[in-house]
Amino acid sequence: MTIQKKLMISFGLTVVMIISAASVFLSRDEINPLLITYANIATVNYMDALNDAKKLGTKLKDFTNNPTIETMGNAKAAWLNARESYGQTEAFRLSNGPIDVEEGWHTSYGAPEGRLNAWPLDENMIDYITNSKGRKTSGNIIDTPGMFNPGGENPLLIDVSIITSDVLAALNGNGGYANVATGYHVIEFLLWGQDQDYANFIKDNVTHGALLAGQRALTDYTINANADRRKQYLNAAVSLIIADLESITSAWADGDSTNYKAALLGKNSDVTKNINAKVALKQIFSGLGIFIKSELANERIAIAVLTPSEEDEHSCFSDNTHRDITQNFQGFKNLLFGTYNSFDYGVALIDAMKDKTKLMGLIASVNTKINQMNTLAQVSRHFDYQIRPNDSQARQIKKLKNELRAIGDQMIYVAKSNGIDLTVGNIMDVGEIKL
């Protein structure tokens, strides 16, 4: 979601003096091994996301230089691949890190999550759609070669004569959260086009099929009057993604004594920027709880399946929502178990927990439901069909979101095992949408 949430935790220094008996708190000169594991996974995960974004940029350049069915297909494949690694990085959100914190010294990295992964988006602002009357809309960024008013609350007019990364950054969120002009989902819409019927979010009258995603015509990039502007848009949007991921990657890079990773590990050359180990862990446990309970379970699954609304599935144009959910949960497991791509990164957050029975049971059940969702998305019906009220999968997906919320609650006990006290308020977004 576009809403950037901040932790509602008091980080008073007096807390630091309440030293837990947990063995993870080491002497002043040692680095907490939990933080080392967490930080090293961030380093490699964001580097993978950056490299995959660069591959996407290359394929988009190939496509826009020579738009054919083949190059368009390659660009779509690169987008799907880029979502795999980026999806796992989402678990680093909401922990006062550089990806989405709006205040503090971390803002030197731009807190770009809202530019990278904002959704749902008002695609009607970006390019044409087929509206409820079956007509193509107009008055969007693509077909306005001059000053553009994005609409909404107190919008600023932006010159879109040439669509650049700076122009898109100026448009993003201009007039309201729904005015999304940047990020993965914008590129997704420009490659696939719309998938649903806007008169009824579950009828799918545009693409007509349980296994069909958006069907944007290649002619939008060849003979259409606005073909060149769409090409400009694609290349500008991916350039901004790459630049933002380069910034975040630098925040987690090794060998830099001035960056966020150094501060998290208490080794920043500016000692005033170093984050106390106990404060850092509280931020991490809290962020993971909010992400799994409020963001993934509630905002990304519950709203879609309980509404139900195809428009509120995460990747509604490409029908890749099953992979978003899978990779978001994988990112959470990476940090909980201290692993990434089957490699053990050291002491894990869950290691100190003596009775793991309930948590591991929930994780096993979620894994089963996610595997089933993935299989069905490949062989019979995408997520947008699985959430339909008359589909047997709708009940399973509701159970999935309930179990994810229960896993979020378990973070209180995982944290306690590591000497960190959390409340229910610490592991959920106080502003989450009530259903």
Side-chain angles (χ1 to χ4, degrees):
M1 302 293 283
T2 56
I3 300 173
Q4 296 185 351
K5 308 169 184 75
K6 293 177 286 187
L7 304 183
M8 304 301 289
I9 298 175
S10 171
F11 295 125
L13 289 179
T14 52
V15 171
V16 178
M17 303 304 294
I18 306 173
I19 304 300
S20 165
S23 60
V24 295
F25 297 106
L26 308 178
S27 69
R28 183 175 299 176
D29 294 331
E30 295 177 289
I31 303 175
N32 187 298
L34 292 176
L35 296 178
I36 294 174
T37 301
Y38 180 90
N40 285 340
I41 292 175
T43 300
V44 293
N45 196 171
Y46 276 113
M47 183 58 73
D48 285 346
L50 172 60
N51 289 335
D52 289 339
K54 289 179 177 178
K55 292 175 186 174
L56 172 61
T58 298
K59 295 302 180 184
L60 287 174
K61 182 65 74 176
D62 291 344
F63 169 54
T64 53
N65 285 341
N66 178 31
T68 66
I69 292 296
E70 181 181 8
T71 57
M72 189 178 200
N74 291 341
K76 288 180 176 179
W79 186 90
L80 293 170
N81 181 65
R83 290 295 291 173
E84 294 286 296
S85 52
Y86 183 79
Q88 293 186 41
T89 70
E90 288 277 272
F92 292 102
R93 292 193 54 204
L94 307 162
S95 295
N96 275 14
I99 185 65
D100 57 2
V101 168
E102 297 168 332
E103 299 174 358
W105 75 273
H106 322 345
T107 54
S108 59
Y109 300 108
E113 199 282 334
R115 287 206 303 236
L116 286 163
N117 199 38
W119 75 282
L121 51 86
D122 179 9
E123 53 271 42
N124 188 41
M125 183 186 83
I126 298 165
D127 200 357
Y128 75 86
I129 61 168
T130 301
N131 65 20
S132 58
K133 297 179 180 178
R135 299 170 182 162
K136 287 187 177 181
T137 60
S138 59
N140 48 66
I141 297 170
I142 293 292
D143 67 12
T144 305
M147 300 302 293
F148 179 75
N149 183 343
E153 186 175 352
N154 302 318
L156 298 176
L157 283 174
I158 303 295
D159 184 353
V160 298
S161 299
I162 300 176
I163 301 173
T164 66
S165 296
D166 289 341
V167 165
L168 296 182
L171 284 167
N172 197 49
N174 180 353
Y177 281 118
N179 289 350
V180 176
T182 66
Y184 288 100
H185 295 296
V186 166
I187 293 174
E188 178 194 9
F189 173 58
L190 288 172
L191 287 176
W192 273 272
Q194 70 186 114
D195 181 45
Q196 70 279 340
D197 169 33
Y198 288 85
N200 184 320
F201 290 146
I202 64 170
K203 276 192 173 179
D204 197 15
N205 285 347
V206 175
T207 46
H208 302 289
L211 284 174
L212 281 177
Q215 300 290 304
R216 183 180 288 279
L218 179 64
T219 51
D220 279 358
Y221 289 93
T222 54
I223 61 174
N224 186 279
N226 296 311
D228 287 342
R229 290 181 62 77
R230 288 191 186 90
K231 296 173 185 176
Q232 282 181 17
Y233 204 134
L234 279 176
N235 289 314
V238 77
S239 292
L240 192 58
I241 288 175
I242 292 170
D244 283 337
L245 285 175
E246 285 175 337
S247 174
I248 294 300
T249 301
S250 73
W252 290 103
D254 289 322
D256 183 348
S257 63
T258 66
N259 67 3
Y260 178 80
K261 183 174 186 177
L264 187 76
L265 299 179
K267 297 294 182 182
N268 196 291
S269 56
D270 181 349
V271 295
T272 65
K273 294 181 176 178
N274 286 329
I275 305 169
N276 176 271
K278 191 161 188 177
V279 172
L281 285 173
K282 190 164 188 175
Q283 293 176 158
I284 289 168
F285 283 118
S286 179
L288 283 170
I290 298 171
F291 178 73
I292 206 74
K293 182 172 183 176
S294 291
E295 183 65 27
L296 180 56
N298 199 65
E299 305 290 343
R300 301 186 180 188
I301 298 177
I303 292 176
V305 72
L306 295 179
T307 310
S309 170
E310 186 177 356
E311 175 72 354
D312 287 315
E313 63 164 323
H314 203 176
S315 293
C316 64
F317 311 114
S318 63
D319 274 336
N320 193 50
T321 303
H322 58 292
R323 296 304 303 166
D324 293 329
I325 294 170
T326 302
Q327 295 304 79
N328 288 171
F329 187 56
Q330 183 61 53
F332 171 82
K333 289 189 293 184
N334 291 344
L335 301 181
L336 185 65
F337 295 112
T339 59
Y340 179 73
N341 280 345
S342 302
F343 185 83
D344 188 343
Y345 277 78
V347 181
L349 302 179
I350 198 173
D351 287 351
M353 193 176 192
K354 291 183 178 178
D355 185 358
K356 305 178 178 67
T357 306
K358 183 173 183 178
L359 177 55
M360 293 304 292
L362 286 166
I363 289 173
S365 186
V366 166
N367 281 335
T368 298
K369 290 179 176 61
I370 285 180
N371 289 337
Q372 179 174 311
M373 177 189 67
N374 273 305
T375 299
L376 292 174
Q378 293 168 1
V379 301
S380 67
R381 54 203 189 277
H382 288 150
F383 183 83
D384 54 352
Y385 271 65
Q386 294 185 39
I387 62 175
R388 294 183 173 207
N390 60 353
D391 193 296
S392 59
Q393 262 300 98
R395 178 176 294 180
Q396 293 302 308
I397 292 174
K398 290 174 186 174
K399 290 181 179 177
L400 169 63
K401 69 93 179 170
N402 289 335
E403 289 172 347
L404 287 170
R405 287 182 70 81
I407 289 174
D409 291 333
Q410 284 287 304
M411 292 309 295
I412 292 176
Y413 304 106
V414 179
K416 190 173 183 64
S417 299
N418 289 286
I420 302 295
D421 292 327
L422 295 181
T423 67
V424 173
N426 293 145
I427 48 94
M428 65 180 293
D429 175 18
V430 294
E432 71 173 22
I433 296 175
K434 307 297 182 186
L435 298 171

